């Protein structure tokens, strides 16, 4: 092989390597964003659970009174 063929092949490999590095960086950035979103969701859930656990239990409302039935002899 000639020098120029070897040089061209090396440049192609460098370009391919650069493309793969850029893809890896994009994947890492997506993973970072997903991690941040997941962490924020977990924090919101923990906060909701904490608030729910600290609330005083409220007594259930009294059932509505049933209407009195009319007397049979009146």
């Amino acid at each position: 092989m000639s020098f120029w063929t070897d040089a061209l092949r090396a440049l192609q490999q460098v370009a391919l390597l650069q493309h793969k590095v850029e893809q890896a960086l994009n994947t890492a950035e997506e993973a970072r964003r997903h991690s941040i979103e997941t962490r924020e969701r977990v924090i919101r859930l923990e906060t909701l659970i904490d608030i729910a656990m600290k609330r005083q239990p409220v007594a259930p409302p009294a059932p509505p009174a049933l209407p009195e039935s009319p007397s049979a002899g009146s």
Side-chain angles (χ1 to χ4, degrees):
M1 288 192 202
S2 72
F3 168 78
W4 295 111
T5 306
D6 291 341
L8 182 59
R9 181 166 289 141
L11 286 174
Q12 288 174 337
Q13 289 176 347
V14 168
L16 179 62
L17 180 61
Q18 182 178 1
H19 176 71
K20 288 183 177 182
V21 167
E22 289 172 358
Q23 282 182 331
L25 288 173
N26 288 338
T27 301
E29 178 62 24
E30 289 176 16
R32 186 186 71 81
R33 281 195 308 265
H34 180 69
S35 174
I36 290 170
E37 291 172 2
T38 302
R39 183 179 62 206
E40 290 173 352
R41 288 178 177 172
V42 168
I43 290 170
R44 286 194 299 265
L45 288 172
E46 288 175 336
T47 302
L48 287 172
I49 291 170
D50 188 44
I51 290 170
M53 291 178 73
K54 289 180 180 178
R55 285 181 82 185
Q56 297 269 334
V58 178
L66 296 175
E68 294 183 21
S69 58
S71 301
S74 299

